Amino acid sequence: MLIAALLAGLLQAGAGPDFPAAPAWEPAHAGLMAKAPGAPGYGVQFTTPSGRLVFTNLHFDPASRDAKMELYRIQGPVGLGPYRLGVELGFHAKEPTQGSVHPSWFDNFFYIIRTEEGSPAKAAGLEPDKYGGRYSKVAIEGVDGSNFGWDLGALIWHITNRPVIEVNTIKRPVMFGGPSRKTVRVTLRKLETPVDPADGTFAPGGVDPASIKAWLTHDLMWRDLLILRSRTPRLAPLAVDLPTGRRWLVSAPTDPTAEGPGKGQRTLEVWREDPLAGPYPYGKALADLWLEPREGLGPGRVLRIEGQWYRIQNMTTDPATGRPTACSLGPWKADIPVLLAGASEARELGSIPSPGLRETLEQAANEALLEWKTLALPDALASQDAQATAALVLRIEKGLLALDLDIKGIRSRLDAAARAEADRKAQAELAAKEGRPARATPAPPVESERLADLLDQRKAILMAVLGNAKQSLASLRR
């Protein structure tokens, strides 16, 4: 994975014989990009001395909001130039020498796995011997005097873009003597017809960041990548009108390559500008980023956008992709009967693993309950008969019992987590002394002492409401 934020600020690459004076790119073929991890269906394709590469799977980190994307090398026919040598090549990485065998057998080198019949390589005598492949006596030290940093992909790209090449070979001794070197000049065969633009595969990046910095620092490339992403049906933006103005929603997977489209946890991106217009830099246009619960978003669920809480009134999504097709949001208002019954407004957050979010919502609920107690409760009690007031008293008493259990459960789980962490640290220190791997660090608790304190505050508010209700009930029964 390539995180663009880590490479921001790099200078543009200088021009060279194989490097464009200014970065150039084009949309990758949709049929080809459907084969990339996560089946994105879009990408920005460009060419470097290392070969044909593509940026795709643009997404945003839920915590930092940094833009991320995947970098892949395009392999197969569409990832090659128009010339063919007719060999399958491999690479042997340097390893320690063994015994009295000549060091050249253990050095870096390329080797021929197989040679096609009737190919230019076959005609030039470039083929494995009886020992085969990596163990053939003849290996390749480079082409046209370069080893390309021992990058097999860069070597193949160079070969397929030259009508004539000089192959630098080395013949290693079997038992005695030293190696001999020979340069073989080969005229390659040019393809008569263009290759299918979707005929290719992908390999993870593996390129020198310096070779792609001209693209990484080019605003127009980032703009085009966002536009291409926004044109794909499963990531198309949905316009909604909020009190702060028109916004655009995009539901995107947190890891585009993990399980394919529509799978896994997702983020709801909120844009101040239409992503189809390609706003850049993203930080100014991306208004908010909401980590969706794994159960998804639906009517009744609450979410926070630009510091304001909303309740989803209507939400429909494409069942195949998870893309929102319609959405209406209303300002969040606390559900007072639910709070009186000891339940939590935060249940509508779903499975979002963030204690900070629940704390914020529970605090807002406490404030709303306090306002209701002061401003609305007196009139409500004055208008109720004894039966309705008795029902209110019973609801609050049951709610207090439920809330008390909830608070005790939170503190009990936090105590258990603290003991487990202390034990883990002790075991990690022991493992370090004994040279053993330590246990993995568990995820932090999704609850907090502050959350328990907020619920304690709610108990106090409910106790005050209960006192008022009981006083009113006593008056009604006289």
PDB file of all heavy atoms in Angstrom, residues 430-447:
ATOM      1  N   LEU A 430       8.980 -11.045  30.246  1.00  0.00           N
ATOM      2  CA  LEU A 430       9.564 -12.376  30.424  1.00  0.00           C
ATOM      3  C   LEU A 430       9.938 -12.989  29.081  1.00  0.00           C
ATOM      4  O   LEU A 430      11.015 -13.587  28.935  1.00  0.00           O
ATOM      5  CB  LEU A 430       8.570 -13.279  31.164  1.00  0.00           C
ATOM      6  CG  LEU A 430       9.031 -14.716  31.459  1.00  0.00           C
ATOM      7  CD1 LEU A 430      10.279 -14.704  32.343  1.00  0.00           C
ATOM      8  CD2 LEU A 430       7.908 -15.514  32.109  1.00  0.00           C
ATOM      9  N   ALA A 431       9.048 -12.817  28.088  1.00  0.00           N
ATOM     10  CA  ALA A 431       9.327 -13.362  26.755  1.00  0.00           C
ATOM     11  C   ALA A 431      10.568 -12.704  26.148  1.00  0.00           C
ATOM     12  O   ALA A 431      11.380 -13.367  25.495  1.00  0.00           O
ATOM     13  CB  ALA A 431       8.120 -13.160  25.851  1.00  0.00           C
ATOM     14  N   ALA A 432      10.735 -11.388  26.381  1.00  0.00           N
ATOM     15  CA  ALA A 432      11.900 -10.685  25.847  1.00  0.00           C
ATOM     16  C   ALA A 432      13.190 -11.214  26.466  1.00  0.00           C
ATOM     17  O   ALA A 432      14.202 -11.378  25.772  1.00  0.00           O
ATOM     18  CB  ALA A 432      11.765  -9.186  26.104  1.00  0.00           C
ATOM     19  N   LYS A 433      13.144 -11.514  27.763  1.00  0.00           N
ATOM     20  CA  LYS A 433      14.330 -12.059  28.436  1.00  0.00           C
ATOM     21  C   LYS A 433      14.667 -13.448  27.921  1.00  0.00           C
ATOM     22  O   LYS A 433      15.842 -13.830  27.823  1.00  0.00           O
ATOM     23  CB  LYS A 433      14.102 -12.099  29.940  1.00  0.00           C
ATOM     24  CG  LYS A 433      14.037 -10.728  30.599  1.00  0.00           C
ATOM     25  CD  LYS A 433      13.760 -10.853  32.097  1.00  0.00           C
ATOM     26  CE  LYS A 433      13.673  -9.480  32.756  1.00  0.00           C
ATOM     27  NZ  LYS A 433      13.357  -9.588  34.207  1.00  0.00           N
ATOM     28  N   GLU A 434      13.633 -14.224  27.571  1.00  0.00           N
ATOM     29  CA  GLU A 434      13.846 -15.599  27.124  1.00  0.00           C
ATOM     30  C   GLU A 434      13.959 -15.720  25.613  1.00  0.00           C
ATOM     31  O   GLU A 434      14.121 -16.819  25.086  1.00  0.00           O
ATOM     32  CB  GLU A 434      12.702 -16.477  27.630  1.00  0.00           C
ATOM     33  CG  GLU A 434      12.621 -16.564  29.148  1.00  0.00           C
ATOM     34  CD  GLU A 434      11.431 -17.390  29.622  1.00  0.00           C
ATOM     35  OE1 GLU A 434      10.598 -17.752  28.753  1.00  0.00           O
ATOM     36  OE2 GLU A 434      11.353 -17.687  30.828  1.00  0.00           O
ATOM     37  N   GLY A 435      13.846 -14.584  24.918  1.00  0.00           N
ATOM     38  CA  GLY A 435      13.976 -14.602  23.463  1.00  0.00           C
ATOM     39  C   GLY A 435      12.775 -15.188  22.745  1.00  0.00           C
ATOM     40  O   GLY A 435      12.890 -15.673  21.613  1.00  0.00           O
ATOM     41  N   ARG A 436      11.613 -15.152  23.380  1.00  0.00           N
ATOM     42  CA  ARG A 436      10.399 -15.668  22.761  1.00  0.00           C
ATOM     43  C   ARG A 436       9.553 -14.511  22.235  1.00  0.00           C
ATOM     44  O   ARG A 436       9.608 -13.398  22.768  1.00  0.00           O
ATOM     45  CB  ARG A 436       9.579 -16.474  23.775  1.00  0.00           C
ATOM     46  CG  ARG A 436      10.245 -17.731  24.279  1.00  0.00           C
ATOM     47  CD  ARG A 436       9.317 -18.503  25.219  1.00  0.00           C
ATOM     48  NE  ARG A 436       9.131 -17.827  26.504  1.00  0.00           N
ATOM     49  CZ  ARG A 436       8.045 -17.154  26.864  1.00  0.00           C
ATOM     50  NH1 ARG A 436       7.037 -17.022  26.007  1.00  0.00           N
ATOM     51  NH2 ARG A 436       7.954 -16.580  28.053  1.00  0.00           N
ATOM     52  N   PRO A 437       8.729 -14.766  21.235  1.00  0.00           N
ATOM     53  CA  PRO A 437       7.834 -13.706  20.763  1.00  0.00           C
ATOM     54  C   PRO A 437       6.765 -13.400  21.811  1.00  0.00           C
ATOM     55  O   PRO A 437       6.257 -14.306  22.473  1.00  0.00           O
ATOM     56  CB  PRO A 437       7.211 -14.288  19.487  1.00  0.00           C
ATOM     57  CG  PRO A 437       7.354 -15.775  19.633  1.00  0.00           C
ATOM     58  CD  PRO A 437       8.623 -15.997  20.410  1.00  0.00           C
ATOM     59  N   ALA A 438       6.423 -12.128  21.937  1.00  0.00           N
ATOM     60  CA  ALA A 438       5.405 -11.724  22.906  1.00  0.00           C
ATOM     61  C   ALA A 438       4.012 -11.876  22.317  1.00  0.00           C
ATOM     62  O   ALA A 438       3.835 -11.920  21.088  1.00  0.00           O
ATOM     63  CB  ALA A 438       5.630 -10.268  23.324  1.00  0.00           C
ATOM     64  N   ARG A 439       3.029 -11.967  23.183  1.00  0.00           N
ATOM     65  CA  ARG A 439       1.650 -12.028  22.730  1.00  0.00           C
ATOM     66  C   ARG A 439       1.264 -10.725  22.042  1.00  0.00           C
ATOM     67  O   ARG A 439       1.763  -9.654  22.388  1.00  0.00           O
ATOM     68  CB  ARG A 439       0.699 -12.281  23.909  1.00  0.00           C
ATOM     69  CG  ARG A 439       0.768 -13.680  24.489  1.00  0.00           C
ATOM     70  CD  ARG A 439      -0.295 -13.867  25.558  1.00  0.00           C
ATOM     71  NE  ARG A 439      -0.209 -12.838  26.599  1.00  0.00           N
ATOM     72  CZ  ARG A 439      -1.022 -12.793  27.647  1.00  0.00           C
ATOM     73  NH1 ARG A 439      -1.974 -13.700  27.790  1.00  0.00           N
ATOM     74  NH2 ARG A 439      -0.882 -11.843  28.559  1.00  0.00           N
ATOM     75  N   ALA A 440       0.358 -10.831  21.102  1.00  0.00           N
ATOM     76  CA  ALA A 440      -0.093  -9.640  20.382  1.00  0.00           C
ATOM     77  C   ALA A 440      -0.813  -8.696  21.336  1.00  0.00           C
ATOM     78  O   ALA A 440      -1.498  -9.133  22.260  1.00  0.00           O
ATOM     79  CB  ALA A 440      -1.018 -10.040  19.236  1.00  0.00           C
ATOM     80  N   THR A 441      -0.665  -7.401  21.093  1.00  0.00           N
ATOM     81  CA  THR A 441      -1.350  -6.404  21.913  1.00  0.00           C
ATOM     82  C   THR A 441      -2.820  -6.383  21.540  1.00  0.00           C
ATOM     83  O   THR A 441      -3.157  -6.213  20.355  1.00  0.00           O
ATOM     84  CB  THR A 441      -0.745  -5.008  21.680  1.00  0.00           C
ATOM     85  OG1 THR A 441       0.648  -5.054  21.969  1.00  0.00           O
ATOM     86  CG2 THR A 441      -1.422  -3.975  22.563  1.00  0.00           C
ATOM     87  N   PRO A 442      -3.732  -6.557  22.492  1.00  0.00           N
ATOM     88  CA  PRO A 442      -5.163  -6.568  22.157  1.00  0.00           C
ATOM     89  C   PRO A 442      -5.650  -5.174  21.796  1.00  0.00           C
ATOM     90  O   PRO A 442      -5.004  -4.168  22.110  1.00  0.00           O
ATOM     91  CB  PRO A 442      -5.817  -7.076  23.447  1.00  0.00           C
ATOM     92  CG  PRO A 442      -4.863  -6.678  24.535  1.00  0.00           C
ATOM     93  CD  PRO A 442      -3.493  -6.772  23.928  1.00  0.00           C
ATOM     94  N   ALA A 443      -6.795  -5.126  21.158  1.00  0.00           N
ATOM     95  CA  ALA A 443      -7.398  -3.838  20.831  1.00  0.00           C
ATOM     96  C   ALA A 443      -7.784  -3.109  22.118  1.00  0.00           C
ATOM     97  O   ALA A 443      -8.154  -3.746  23.105  1.00  0.00           O
ATOM     98  CB  ALA A 443      -8.625  -4.052  19.959  1.00  0.00           C
ATOM     99  N   PRO A 444      -7.683  -1.780  22.147  1.00  0.00           N
ATOM    100  CA  PRO A 444      -8.042  -1.039  23.359  1.00  0.00           C
ATOM    101  C   PRO A 444      -9.531  -1.182  23.654  1.00  0.00           C
ATOM    102  O   PRO A 444     -10.340  -1.412  22.743  1.00  0.00           O
ATOM    103  CB  PRO A 444      -7.678   0.411  23.001  1.00  0.00           C
ATOM    104  CG  PRO A 444      -7.698   0.458  21.508  1.00  0.00           C
ATOM    105  CD  PRO A 444      -7.260  -0.890  21.045  1.00  0.00           C
ATOM    106  N   PRO A 445      -9.951  -1.044  24.908  1.00  0.00           N
ATOM    107  CA  PRO A 445     -11.377  -1.150  25.256  1.00  0.00           C
ATOM    108  C   PRO A 445     -12.193  -0.092  24.530  1.00  0.00           C
ATOM    109  O   PRO A 445     -11.734   1.026  24.290  1.00  0.00           O
ATOM    110  CB  PRO A 445     -11.398  -0.924  26.774  1.00  0.00           C
ATOM    111  CG  PRO A 445      -9.993  -1.174  27.235  1.00  0.00           C
ATOM    112  CD  PRO A 445      -9.111  -0.803  26.098  1.00  0.00           C
ATOM    113  N   VAL A 446     -13.422  -0.448  24.178  1.00  0.00           N
ATOM    114  CA  VAL A 446     -14.304   0.510  23.507  1.00  0.00           C
ATOM    115  C   VAL A 446     -15.117   1.294  24.535  1.00  0.00           C
ATOM    116  O   VAL A 446     -15.923   2.149  24.158  1.00  0.00           O
ATOM    117  CB  VAL A 446     -15.246  -0.197  22.524  1.00  0.00           C
ATOM    118  CG1 VAL A 446     -14.453  -0.855  21.419  1.00  0.00           C
ATOM    119  CG2 VAL A 446     -16.119  -1.228  23.237  1.00  0.00           C
ATOM    120  N   GLU A 447     -14.906   1.004  25.824  1.00  0.00           N
ATOM    121  CA  GLU A 447     -15.573   1.735  26.901  1.00  0.00           C
ATOM    122  C   GLU A 447     -14.515   2.478  27.720  1.00  0.00           C
ATOM    123  O   GLU A 447     -13.326   2.202  27.575  1.00  0.00           O
ATOM    124  CB  GLU A 447     -16.364   0.772  27.786  1.00  0.00           C
ATOM    125  CG  GLU A 447     -17.491   0.072  27.020  1.00  0.00           C
ATOM    126  CD  GLU A 447     -18.098  -1.084  27.796  1.00  0.00           C
ATOM    127  OE1 GLU A 447     -17.330  -1.836  28.441  1.00  0.00           O
ATOM    128  OE2 GLU A 447     -19.325  -1.250  27.741  1.00  0.00           O
TER     129      GLU A 447
END
